Amino acid sequence: KPRRPRMTEWPDADYLPTVSIGPDSLIPHETLDFEASRFLAGTEKGLPMDPIRVFVGVHSAPTVEGRAALAVGELARLGAFERSRIVVISATLRGYVNPIIPDAIEQFARGDCACVVIQYYDKRTLLMPLKVGIAARTHAELLRQLVRHRGGAEVMVYGESLGAWASQNVFREGGTAALDALGVVRALWIGTPYFSLLRRDFERGKLPVDERVATVRATDLVEADPEGAERLRFVFLHRMTDPVVLFPGLELFWRRPEWMPSSEWRPGITFVQTLIDLVNATNWTSALPQALAHDYRTEGPLGVRLAFGHHDVPREEAARIADELIAQEVANGAHLRSARRRYTAPR
């Protein structure tokens, strides 16, 4: 019976010379997998400047420190420290990055930017929360090394889902003081899991109040920018129908969460129902983009515009760019599904 081998490269990959792949790259090509290829081949083309993208695989160096050093070296080789901004992306499991977000970053910056990802795990696992530690260590080490090398470029952070949780763990002890200490001038965190405590520490007063921080609901952002948008630097973006944001784990067996009316809570039953919702909500990457549950692809460009300070881009223009990126994502999904059907080999 034929089986599908693991696809290792984005179908018909077309790489710009400003990405970390090719004969001059410091990162061995054989250490990069499908997620690396998808990220690097997706670099926006036809902009005033060719954007820079760097991806370091978990097998590209034996240690977290070594992988971070490779990333910094490759950024330097490609000229990232002469760009206006470097966006450090905290990826989800296996190195996946929501493709619409770096696309939007590059569109709004007109190519004057660099995005960098370090993979920390390359397999599927049901024990995803156990990978938050290594993901946070990787994120922190890259930021520490960038502080010493970034030159005039502004350092920004983006994380989504598990990536947001890992990124936020780096700054939980000090809040915005920790962000400032690591040279992070802006951050966008999307669909943060309930177990990440940074946002709730701000909201409950465990961390000093800072007018640069805001929690924004996706539905509200679609309607209008939040009040004082120009002063915001660190943005938590989510929706209150996202099971990943709401699911508190085993305590749901015996404690009613704040967001649930008492008439709807049933010990045990509510846990099982919410767990099923959680699993369904995270299975979105191959579906059509929609503003639902844990899928933030439709609102993501507006989140980039807000958090990364592109207020010179009118909302109407941002919406047009978002529509184009979503259409591109739909086309890419169809292209990938077609390629996977062709990509078979005998046992």
Side-chain angles (χ1 to χ4, degrees):
K1 182 180 179 179
R3 64 174 176 84
R4 290 191 180 113
R6 184 179 182 185
M7 186 177 288
T8 57
E9 192 161 22
W10 181 257
D12 305 320
D14 178 22
Y15 303 109
L16 286 174
T18 51
V19 304
S20 58
I21 206 163
D24 297 324
S25 177
L26 303 179
I27 302 162
H29 194 157
E30 64 272 15
T31 66
L32 300 179
D33 61 8
F34 175 74
E35 294 301 343
S37 177
R38 169 161 41 189
F39 177 75
L40 297 173
T43 312
E44 285 291 292
K45 299 169 178 68
L47 298 174
M49 298 178 69
D50 284 340
I52 292 168
R53 288 196 190 185
V54 169
F55 191 108
V56 176
V58 69
H59 301 294
S60 298
T63 65
V64 168
E65 294 77 13
R67 292 191 282 274
L70 260 183
V72 171
E74 189 72 352
L75 286 167
R77 183 184 75 85
L78 293 169
F81 301 123
E82 284 73 56
R83 299 296 173 97
S84 64
R85 56 185 56 191
I86 298 172
V87 181
V88 178
I89 297 176
S90 179
T92 62
L93 205 64
R94 296 195 299 166
Y96 174 78
V97 177
N98 174 353
I100 286 181
I101 301 300
D103 289 352
I105 290 169
E106 292 167 354
Q107 286 269 6
F108 292 145
R110 299 178 64 78
D112 185 15
C113 59
C115 293
V116 55
V117 178
I118 300 180
Q119 188 182 47
Y120 52 88
Y121 196 68
D122 64 346
K123 298 178 179 65
R124 292 182 184 273
T125 177
L126 295 176
L127 303 176
M128 291 185 290
L130 298 183
K131 301 302 175 185
V132 171
I134 184 65
R137 273 188 57 212
T138 301
H139 195 57
E141 181 61 29
L142 178 53
L143 289 169
R144 279 194 288 267
Q145 294 198 27
L146 277 177
V147 165
R148 301 193 296 269
H149 296 89
R150 69 179 185 272
E154 293 184 318
V155 174
M156 304 180 182
V157 161
Y158 157 66
E160 185 166 343
S161 194
L162 184 73
W165 182 3
S167 173
Q168 290 165 29
N169 273 12
V170 176
F171 313 110
R172 190 188 164 208
E173 293 300 318
T176 51
L179 285 155
D180 293 338
L182 283 172
V184 178
V185 298
R186 293 181 180 272
L188 172 63
W189 295 299
I190 296 179
T192 303
Y194 178 90
F195 300 106
S196 183
L197 299 175
L198 183 65
R199 173 176 61 86
R200 283 181 285 154
D201 284 351
F202 276 120
E203 293 172 349
R204 294 171 180 175
K206 292 184 178 180
L207 290 169
V209 175
D210 193 316
E211 66 174 5
R212 298 176 295 171
V213 179
T215 297
V216 180
R217 295 191 181 188
T219 50
D220 295 338
L221 183 59
V222 170
E223 295 297 323
D225 289 343
E227 184 178 351
E230 291 78 10
R231 70 170 181 266
L232 299 183
R233 299 293 183 273
F234 310 115
V235 175
F236 300 88
L237 180 67
H238 66 221
R239 65 170 59 89
M240 291 307 295
T241 55
D242 180 353
V244 175
V245 173
L246 299 176
F247 183 65
L250 292 176
E251 71 176 58
L252 197 55
F253 269 114
W254 64 84
R255 180 180 294 118
R256 178 180 64 84
E258 297 174 356
W259 51 265
M260 179 172 285
S262 57
S263 60
E264 296 181 10
W265 183 62
R266 298 289 185 272
I269 295 175
T270 299
F271 172 86
V272 173
Q273 291 173 333
T274 309
L275 183 61
I276 292 171
D277 290 342
L278 177 71
V279 172
N280 292 335
T282 55
N283 188 28
W284 56 263
T285 57
S286 62
L288 295 178
Q290 54 186 328
L292 181 69
H294 199 52
D295 185 352
Y296 293 89
R297 287 175 290 179
T298 59
E299 304 97 339
L302 285 175
V304 170
R305 175 182 175 272
L306 173 67
F308 291 168
H310 294 290
H311 305 294
D312 57 322
V313 179
R315 282 180 62 87
E316 296 77 11
E317 175 71 4
R320 182 191 63 77
I321 291 173
D323 287 344
E324 291 177 355
L325 295 179
I326 291 166
Q328 179 177 294
E329 171 72 353
V330 171
N332 284 343
H335 178 52
L336 177 58
R337 288 190 293 273
S338 174
R340 279 179 170 158
R341 285 194 294 270
R342 299 193 305 269
Y343 195 74
T344 58
R347 187 179 295 277

